[in-house]
Amino acid sequence: MSKMFFGLKSGIMPALTCLLLCGQLSAQRSYSIVSPGRTTVLTTGAPDGKPGYQLSFKGKKITGWSALDIAVDGVSLRNAKITRYDKPVLHRESFASPLGEQDSLHSVYQQARLYLQTTAGLSVTIDFRVMDSSVAFRYAVTATDAAPHALREFTTFAFPASPLIYQYNQESVFTPTSVDTFSATTDLPVTMESDGRYCQVGEAVNFNYTKAELARGADGNTLAVKFPQDTAVLFQRHLETPWRTVSVAGSAIALAHCRSLDLKLAGAPAQGDWSWIRPGKLIRAQLNTQSGLDCIDFAVKHHFQYIMFDAGWYGAEFRSSSDPTQVIPAIDLPKVIAYGKQHNIGVILYVNYIGLKARLDEILPLYKQWGVAGLKFGFVDGLTQSGLTWLLQAVQKVQQYGFVLNIHDNYKPTGLSRTYPVLLTQEGIRGNENSPDALHNTTLPFTRYLAGAADFTYCFPNPKNSFSKHIKVSKGQQLALSVVYYSPLQAIFWYGQPNDYTNEEEIEFYNYVPTTWSESHYLAGDIGKGIAVARRKADTWYVGCAAGLQDWQSTLDLSFLRPGISYTVTVYEDDDHQSIRKRTLRLTNVDKLPVKIAAKGGQAFIFRPAGHE
């Protein structure tokens, strides 16, 4: 990866040239940064002594003048002096993404930097990256002393009119709300719609800052950054804030272009061989030995890679007296782990935040000795600077010991999984545990999932249990969502017991569907109405289609298929008896595929090149 990814190259400027440049800057109030394809323009500067920016896309204003402002020890950037401006430099980046939605990611952007000095003498820089359809910016603060300093952020996003935002917090439902009537806060990323354009405001590389949310600003067209938990972020000497991002598209489905933006903004992993990191599917075991053994047999039969012992395997999870180094008598963990190793099935263990904070340095070498494959962190603090800082060093340690990792509850991704690839997935989403409906399911691909992977904790009915409390959609939709939703580690059978799944034909699709992808295309859809996604693994394509609360139909363009190849297509869909019907088609890349899905329903497809069935 180019060293320019982390900052612009700059030489030592002679003093005379610097004086001339600073004189020019005092007269020049704004600077425009144009994306490589010239579709996106970010203008920045400090008119009236207030640093800010505005964004346009294809000649149309996306934001009005919006504040670029932080305050350190109570001194803000208002009236700060622009001391220097580094003009845009074109960057091209490509890197492998073996655990992602495509094999590799490519980033082309113009980067510029603005230098400011506050009235208190503090040096602040603002980096800008302008891509076609997306922009990102972040602050960096440098103090001359070693004293602790407190930073607050006052970034705003001012829109020409009041947009409709899809408000949510952590694992809540989505509430479409006009900003001019907005009285709560919303998590990042947040998706909004205004005048036929779609926009998402997000963040990247929030590793040890604090969680930020958006609240209504000074007027009904403006959103402002707000810290929900910490009053300020503390630092010494130097601090880089997370990237604030804005992405724009002409349709809801086109907004999927920003789904890997946080990975592109994050730093590369350390040099080394990461091929040992194994993605995959898992089934959750009951808290006894026989269930663990049965789950391993089930995993082998259905081509899964992991089983998991969840909360309770070492005692009550919220009690400080529960010891994550001691297994309850009902589980012979060495026997289960050994049986799993014989069949190449890994065992993942859940540990609550209470146990993690008290015993992390003890349990990591111990679990390595036991032969554990991975960890699931539970009820972490993803809301505060202290919590996120602890999580960063915990992820680093987990990677050092060679475990895969899943972080649950209120933590959401901002790109950490690129820098530390053992972090396969996280929750921060309203999944099947919280009984989401079809409206929610078809809103997620346009909102939270654009930030990165999420563990949806799927569930599927079996002859002994319909799981009607948790599943509010059809069986076909449950199958389809395993393609629509991206997560390198997928919990497929969260509530079901392995011996109850005698409905083999209904769950057959799960035998084949992978969890990481060579290529992905978001084909059709609209927020809360329906979604169709195609993903390739090697030479096989998988397509998932899901409807919201109303019937949904579309016609899918199959030009993503290899030309000149005939594909045998297996279709898994809802029948008239609340079961799954399977049928076969023959299609090529010049064909169109009509989909017509009943409310709350879904279809899942496997495209295999003819002769590879």
Side-chain angles (χ1 to χ4, degrees):
M1 185 181 67
S2 168
K3 292 180 181 178
M4 294 174 72
F5 187 81
F6 297 97
L8 295 174
K9 292 182 178 179
S10 58
I12 300 174
M13 188 176 292
L16 178 60
T17 304
C18 184
L19 287 172
L20 291 172
L21 177 60
C22 292
Q24 294 168 2
L25 290 173
S26 64
Q28 186 177 356
R29 290 291 183 178
S30 64
Y31 317 93
S32 292
I33 310 164
V34 182
S35 70
R38 309 194 68 80
T39 62
T40 308
V41 180
L42 185 143
T43 302
T44 187
D48 303 322
K50 299 176 182 178
Y53 72 95
Q54 62 183 14
L55 174 65
S56 65
F57 176 66
K58 295 184 177 179
K60 294 184 178 180
K61 183 185 291 187
I62 302 302
T63 72
W65 199 258
S66 306
L68 291 170
D69 196 10
I70 56 175
V72 178
D73 301 331
V75 179
S76 77
L77 294 184
R78 295 185 180 185
N79 300 316
K81 293 182 179 178
I82 299 176
T83 60
R84 178 175 163 186
Y85 174 67
D86 286 344
K87 293 181 179 181
V89 174
L90 180 67
H91 293 250
R92 298 180 184 272
E93 304 290 342
S94 295
F95 57 90
S97 181
L99 299 169
E101 295 185 73
Q102 50 269 344
D103 284 337
S104 59
L105 292 174
H106 309 281
S107 182
V108 183
Y109 58 91
Q110 295 277 7
Q111 178 160 312
R113 178 175 289 171
L114 196 65
Y115 297 77
L116 302 102
Q117 191 169 50
T118 71
T119 55
L122 197 70
S123 297
V124 178
T125 60
I126 307 176
D127 280 331
F128 302 94
R129 293 187 184 177
V130 180
M131 298 145 270
D132 291 325
S133 307
S134 292
V135 300
F137 54 87
R138 69 175 175 187
Y139 311 88
V141 184
T142 302
T144 57
D145 56 55
H149 298 277
L151 179 146
R152 299 177 67 196
E153 183 177 347
F154 302 102
T155 303
T156 66
F157 306 86
F159 300 95
S162 182
L164 179 74
I165 66 170
Y166 290 84
Q167 185 273 340
Y168 71 108
N169 294 104
Q170 299 167 38
E171 299 177 47
S172 75
V173 299
F174 288 93
T175 304
T177 306
S178 178
V179 171
D180 58 10
T181 62
F182 188 45
S183 60
T185 64
T186 187
D187 274 8
L188 296 168
V190 62
T191 298
M192 56 195 75
E193 180 182 352
S194 178
D195 193 26
R197 289 189 298 273
Y198 292 80
C199 180
Q200 188 189 80
V201 176
E203 71 173 353
V205 198
N206 186 350
F207 290 1
N208 53 11
Y209 195 63
T210 188
K211 183 185 179 186
E213 296 179 357
L214 294 182
R216 180 179 170 181
D219 60 56
N221 298 346
T222 301
L223 292 169
V225 168
K226 179 179 181 180
F227 297 164
Q229 298 289 328
D230 294 316
T231 56
V233 173
L234 303 180
F235 73 97
Q236 291 178 280
R237 296 289 191 186
H238 185 75
L239 174 69
E240 286 183 340
T241 72
W243 293 95
R244 302 289 170 231
T245 66
V246 184
S247 298
V248 190
S251 67
I253 199 69
L255 199 57
H257 75 79
C258 72
R259 66 187 185 276
S260 57
L261 183 56
D262 59 347
L263 300 177
K264 295 175 182 178
L265 292 166
Q271 292 291 325
D273 179 13
W274 302 107
S275 61
W276 61 268
I277 301 173
R278 184 166 64 146
K281 296 166 284 191
L282 69 84
I283 180 171
R284 181 173 67 161
Q286 303 299 304
L287 300 179
N288 62 77
T289 304
Q290 190 58 51
S291 180
L293 301 175
D294 290 344
C295 282
I296 290 170
D297 290 337
F298 183 92
V300 172
K301 181 178 181 180
H302 294 279
H303 310 295
F304 282 27
Q305 289 71 40
Y306 296 101
I307 73 163
M308 174 186 288
F309 283 115
D310 204 47
W313 71 266
Y314 62 87
E317 59 174 323
F318 292 108
R319 291 182 182 175
S320 59
S321 58
S322 294
D323 184 351
T325 70
Q326 301 295 321
V327 188
I328 61 173
I331 303 175
D332 186 341
L333 191 58
K335 181 177 181 178
V336 175
I337 291 174
Y339 190 65
K341 285 183 176 293
Q342 291 174 21
H343 296 85
N344 197 30
I345 303 297
V347 176
I348 295 175
L349 297 180
Y350 169 94
V351 184
N352 182 274
Y353 194 42
I354 294 171
L356 290 169
K357 291 197 74 175
R359 311 292 286 274
L360 182 66
D361 291 332
E362 183 180 356
I363 65 176
L364 292 179
L366 179 64
Y367 292 178
K368 192 69 175 178
Q369 180 184 337
W370 287 357
V372 173
L375 283 82
K376 173 185 169 184
F377 286 4
F379 289 96
V380 298
D381 173 12
L383 308 178
T384 67
Q385 183 182 16
S386 62
L388 289 169
T389 301
W390 182 91
L391 269 174
L392 175 63
Q393 58 86 30
V395 172
Q396 292 169 334
K397 292 177 180 179
V398 168
Q399 181 158 295
Q400 176 187 346
Y401 277 95
F403 300 106
V404 296
L405 179 61
N406 177 3
I407 299 177
H408 254 239
D409 303 298
N410 60 35
Y411 179 75
K412 64 181 178 64
T414 63
L416 191 63
S417 58
R418 182 190 174 197
T419 310
Y420 302 99
V422 297
L423 178 54
L424 292 180
T425 194
Q426 51 272 303
E427 193 179 20
I429 197 166
R430 187 178 184 86
N432 268 166
E433 290 179 301
N434 291 306
S435 309
D437 64 12
L439 175 66
H440 188 83
N441 289 355
T442 51
T443 299
L444 283 174
F446 304 95
T447 51
R448 162 62 180 83
Y449 268 105
L450 296 183
D455 185 8
F456 191 72
T457 54
Y458 296 94
C459 190
F460 197 91
N462 60 53
K464 288 191 176 181
N465 200 324
S466 67
F467 303 112
S468 59
K469 175 183 175 182
H470 303 285
I471 305 175
K472 305 300 181 185
V473 298
S474 76
K475 292 178 178 178
Q477 183 162 135
Q478 287 294 101
L479 296 180
L481 292 179
S482 65
V483 178
V484 174
Y485 296 163
Y486 159 67
S487 182
L489 185 66
Q490 294 270 31
I492 296 293
F493 296 102
W494 191 242
Y495 293 103
Q497 298 184 40
N499 295 333
D500 293 341
Y501 282 97
T502 57
N503 49 333
E504 292 288 344
E505 291 186 359
E506 289 189 328
I507 64 173
E508 179 185 89
F509 182 78
Y510 289 134
N511 297 348
Y512 304 115
V513 65
T515 64
T516 58
W517 305 97
S518 307
E519 184 180 351
S520 296
H521 297 279
Y522 286 62
L523 302 177
D526 206 349
I527 301 174
K529 296 178 181 178
I531 180 73
V533 177
R535 303 187 191 272
R536 177 176 63 85
K537 188 70 172 183
D539 60 357
T540 301
W541 284 91
Y542 300 79
V543 175
C545 304
L549 296 178
Q550 306 295 326
D551 295 351
W552 182 72
Q553 62 183 6
S554 184
T555 299
L556 305 185
D557 182 346
L558 301 182
S559 59
F560 57 84
L561 298 174
R562 280 182 60 191
I565 301 293
S566 177
Y567 288 82
T568 300
V569 182
T570 306
V571 186
Y572 300 82
E573 60 192 358
D574 299 304
D575 65 12
D576 297 328
H577 307 287
Q578 297 185 335
S579 185
I580 294 295
R581 173 177 58 230
K582 187 168 75 169
R583 58 188 175 95
T584 303
L585 305 171
R586 284 275 186 170
L587 295 169
T588 70
N589 78 313
V590 298
D591 291 318
K592 305 297 181 183
L593 177 61
V595 293
K596 187 175 182 180
I597 305 174
K600 307 178 186 179
Q603 283 181 308
F605 303 79
I606 304 178
F607 289 67
R608 297 181 177 94
H612 290 211
E613 296 94 313

